[in-house]
């Protein structure tokens, strides 16, 4: 069975976004290993650089846009505010978790928990329970993530790892909020630009109060620019574009490609160990994403995670 034409257009965009996101944890570790920047500094730089890149792109392409602008009424403003708050919370909690528990465990916990929170949130908002194909894919993906987390973190112990896992759970809540609030918005809404600009503004007083640290170290500076431009501005633009045609519960499962990518990169470049059983878990995640895409019935109705306005 083939997916509906609309879902087929959104699916590869979310896949590409997830692969870009998978480089975030390794990028943050490169910065913190080379400088005295903490998780709050990295999160602020990511949001600020992402907002600047998105604003520049928005201004450069405004004459070529054919989609009419959408009036900013109160319900839309609330949803964009929730996207901004979710992005800020997600980034800060995620980078704090990476600092304590490492890239693999933090990414796996955050993105492994997110699809379940998204599915529960969509049901709580009255959009119905996910269909059987989505529930089966979710179950298979979560089994794979249990293997990945359990076996990758099996040799770790202590308060830092536990605290890192809890922060990763908070990151999952922020990510679920972004997906639920940002899904189904009209094409004329610059949701990515609004989210990153609002998120950067929310983090600015916090980072100034804590004492903002900057860096001129060449590799760290280049990595921060990459972090803001590629896995932030570009990836979230792809993600929100994909959410226009792909159900939020399905998108949440597809983005499980992020922890698989992050774990592979952490193993290759940071020396974080990936046992054979954990590799099998990663393959289960990939199988769940592929099966969800290939077996979704043609013409299946798109369950919106949150209706416009």
């Amino acid at each position: 069975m083939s997916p509906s034409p609309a879902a087929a257009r959104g699916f590869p965009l979310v896949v590409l976004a997830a692969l870009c996101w998978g480089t975030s944890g390794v990028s943050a570790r490169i910065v913190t290993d080379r400088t005295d920047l903490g998780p709050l500094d990295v999160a602020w730089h990511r949001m600020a650089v992402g907002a600047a890149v998105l604003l520049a792109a928005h201004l450069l392409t405004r004459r070529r846009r054919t989609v009419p602008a959408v009036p900013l009424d109160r319900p839309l403003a609330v949803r964009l505010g929730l996207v901004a708050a979710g992005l800020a919370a997600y980034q800060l909690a995620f980078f704090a978790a990476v600092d304590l528990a490492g890239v693999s465990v933090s990414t796996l916990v955050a993105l492994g928990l997110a699809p379940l929170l998204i599915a529960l949130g969509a049901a709580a908002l009255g959009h119905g329970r996910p269909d059987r194909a989505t529930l089966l894919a979710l179950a298979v993906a979560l089994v794979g993530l249990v293997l990945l987390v359990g076996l990758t973190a099996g040799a770790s112990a202590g308060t830092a790892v536990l605290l890192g896992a809890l922060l990763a759970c908070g990151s999952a809540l922020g990510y679920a909020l972004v997906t639920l609030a940002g899904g189904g918005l009209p094409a004329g809404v610059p949701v990515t630009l609004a989210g990153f600009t609002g998120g950067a503004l929310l983090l600015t007083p916090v980072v100034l109060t804590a004492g903002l640290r900057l860096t001129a170290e060449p590799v760290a500076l280049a990595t921060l620019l990459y972090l803001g431009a590629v896995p932030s501005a570009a990836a979230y633009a792809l993600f929100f574009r994909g959410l226009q045609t792909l159900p939020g519960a399905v998108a949440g499962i597809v983005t499980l490609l992020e922890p698989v990518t992050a774990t592979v990169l952490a193993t290759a470049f940071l020396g974080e160990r990936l046992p054979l059983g954990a590799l099998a878990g990663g393959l289960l995640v990939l199988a769940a994403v592929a099966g969800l895409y290939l077996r979704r019935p043609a013409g299946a109705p798109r369950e919106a995670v949150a209706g416009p306005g």
Side-chain angles (χ1 to χ4, degrees):
M1 305 291 287
S2 60
S4 66
R9 290 193 299 271
F11 190 89
L13 299 179
V14 177
V15 168
L16 187 55
L19 294 177
C20 291
W21 286 335
T23 66
S24 300
V26 174
S27 299
R29 180 53 65 87
I30 290 173
V31 173
T32 55
D33 284 349
R34 289 176 169 268
T35 67
D36 63 346
L37 271 65
L40 178 58
D41 302 299
V42 175
W44 181 85
H45 277 88
R46 180 180 188 177
M47 298 295 293
V49 172
V53 171
L54 288 165
L55 179 59
H58 183 78
L59 294 175
L60 288 172
T61 60
R62 59 183 174 180
R63 292 184 178 179
R64 298 199 298 269
R65 285 193 294 271
T66 58
V67 180
V70 178
L72 183 65
D73 56 13
R74 184 174 180 179
L76 179 57
V78 169
R79 290 182 65 184
L80 292 177
L82 290 174
V83 169
L87 277 172
Y90 167 63
Q91 306 301 332
L92 180 54
F94 175 72
F95 291 129
V98 167
D99 191 52
L100 289 170
V103 174
S104 299
V105 173
S106 301
T107 313
L108 296 170
V109 172
L111 272 296
L113 183 60
L116 179 58
L117 295 176
I118 292 167
L120 292 174
L125 290 172
H127 301 299
R129 57 179 298 179
D131 59 23
R132 289 184 179 180
T134 301
L135 289 173
L136 178 60
L138 177 60
V140 172
L142 288 178
V143 169
L145 283 167
V146 167
L147 286 173
L148 272 167
V149 174
L151 295 174
T152 303
S156 301
T159 306
V161 173
L162 176 60
L163 182 56
L166 290 175
L167 285 168
C169 292
S171 180
L173 283 170
Y175 174 79
L177 178 61
V178 169
T179 304
L180 291 168
L185 287 173
V189 178
V191 58
T192 319
L193 173 60
F196 268 84
T197 303
L201 290 174
L202 288 173
L203 283 180
T204 296
V206 180
V207 74
L208 290 177
T209 301
L212 175 62
R213 287 170 287 187
L214 304 173
T215 182
E217 202 280 329
V219 174
L221 187 58
T223 304
L224 285 172
L225 293 174
Y226 165 81
L227 189 59
V230 179
S232 300
Y236 276 98
L238 291 169
F239 177 67
F240 286 121
R241 179 69 62 85
L243 274 185
Q244 291 174 6
T245 56
L246 196 66
V250 176
I253 296 174
V254 174
T255 53
L256 290 176
L257 289 171
E258 177 184 347
V260 176
T261 304
T263 301
V264 171
L265 291 176
T267 302
F269 297 106
L270 300 179
E272 295 185 10
R273 299 178 61 185
L274 183 67
L276 267 180
L279 180 60
L283 292 176
L284 278 178
V285 175
L286 292 173
V289 173
L292 183 67
Y293 179 58
L294 295 174
R295 300 185 64 83
R296 193 166 181 80
R302 184 174 81 89
E303 73 255 26
V305 279

